[in-house]
Amino acid sequence: VYIMLHKPAGVTSTVSDPHARQTVLDLVQVPQRVFPVGRLDRDTEGLLLLTNDGDFMQRLTHPSHGIRKTYIVSTDRELTPTELASLRRGIVIEGRKVETEDVRVLAPGATHLCIHEGRKHIVRLLFTLLGHRVKRLVRVSVGPLTLGNLALGKWRQLSPGEVAALKRSGHS
């Protein structure tokens, strides 16, 4: 089973929540037991995949495969040219450089960027280190798959072609 969900903010990317908060499985109703492929933090919205295929999950989440994840980041102020250059060069967090690509300003306070890893809160940390407060964070793509016009809180099954494209994405 391969599912794309447009996760709303305020929903946890876990199978269950000990604090009884809403989880992604409360939004996706299928008879099979599925698991989130990676995570989006509770305050982040956007494209989240769910599956019951462990090999598929490993392929998409392990950093060695370099699956590209694209985000739109809304912040409290516009990036300066120096901050934009820092993001493009990559920023060291917890002793490891976060490699970015396709970093561009979309509008004042709105930035598009791609990364190939999924460390906890990594995009938020990048902007926090630059002195920005993230107001909204949306993941708009994973590999070749884009959120498109899938409505917030809605989900759909992936087509066989989309699954195959995801399996081919990144590098081995």
Side-chain angles (χ1 to χ4, degrees):
V1 177
Y2 305 95
I3 294 169
M4 178 198 321
L5 168 68
H6 187 163
K7 183 188 113 34
V11 176
T12 59
S13 296
T14 57
V15 173
S16 64
D17 188 316
H19 304 291
R21 294 177 293 204
Q22 188 177 30
T23 72
V24 292
L25 292 188
D26 294 325
L27 300 175
V28 175
Q29 304 296 320
V30 293
Q32 300 88 348
R33 185 177 167 123
V34 294
F35 301 90
V37 177
R39 295 198 176 183
L40 289 177
D41 68 45
R42 194 164 177 270
D43 296 325
T44 300
E45 63 186 81
L47 196 158
L48 182 68
L49 299 170
L50 296 100
T51 189
N52 59 356
D53 180 339
D55 291 337
F56 178 78
M57 185 182 310
Q58 173 71 7
R59 169 128 182 84
L60 293 181
T61 57
H62 197 276
S64 67
H65 296 291
I67 303 297
R68 180 178 169 151
K69 296 158 192 82
T70 305
Y71 296 85
I72 305 297
V73 188
S74 300
T75 58
D76 56 343
R77 62 185 174 81
E78 189 170 357
L79 286 170
T80 67
T82 302
E83 292 166 340
L84 186 59
S86 292
L87 269 178
R88 287 179 173 150
R89 278 191 309 272
I91 295 174
V92 175
I93 295 179
E94 297 169 350
R96 279 193 2 236
K97 187 174 184 181
V98 178
E99 300 285 344
T100 62
E101 66 178 63
D102 198 15
V103 179
R104 54 193 150 99
V105 173
L106 300 174
T111 307
H112 170 281
L113 88 138
C114 301
I115 60 172
H116 294 273
E117 62 177 286
R119 282 192 273 166
K120 186 175 182 179
H121 304 295
I122 198 71
V123 175
R124 288 181 188 281
L125 284 171
L126 288 170
F127 283 83
T128 298
L129 287 172
L130 293 173
H132 290 256
R133 184 176 62 81
V134 174
K135 298 186 332 188
R136 185 175 181 216
L137 179 58
V138 182
R139 181 161 61 194
V140 294
S141 73
V142 172
L145 191 64
T146 62
L147 197 53
N149 61 0
L150 185 63
L152 188 64
K154 300 299 182 187
W155 62 275
R156 68 173 179 81
Q157 296 271 352
L158 297 183
S159 71
E162 289 171 325
V163 173
L166 282 166
K167 287 180 177 180
R168 288 189 308 267
S169 66
H171 54 273
S172 297

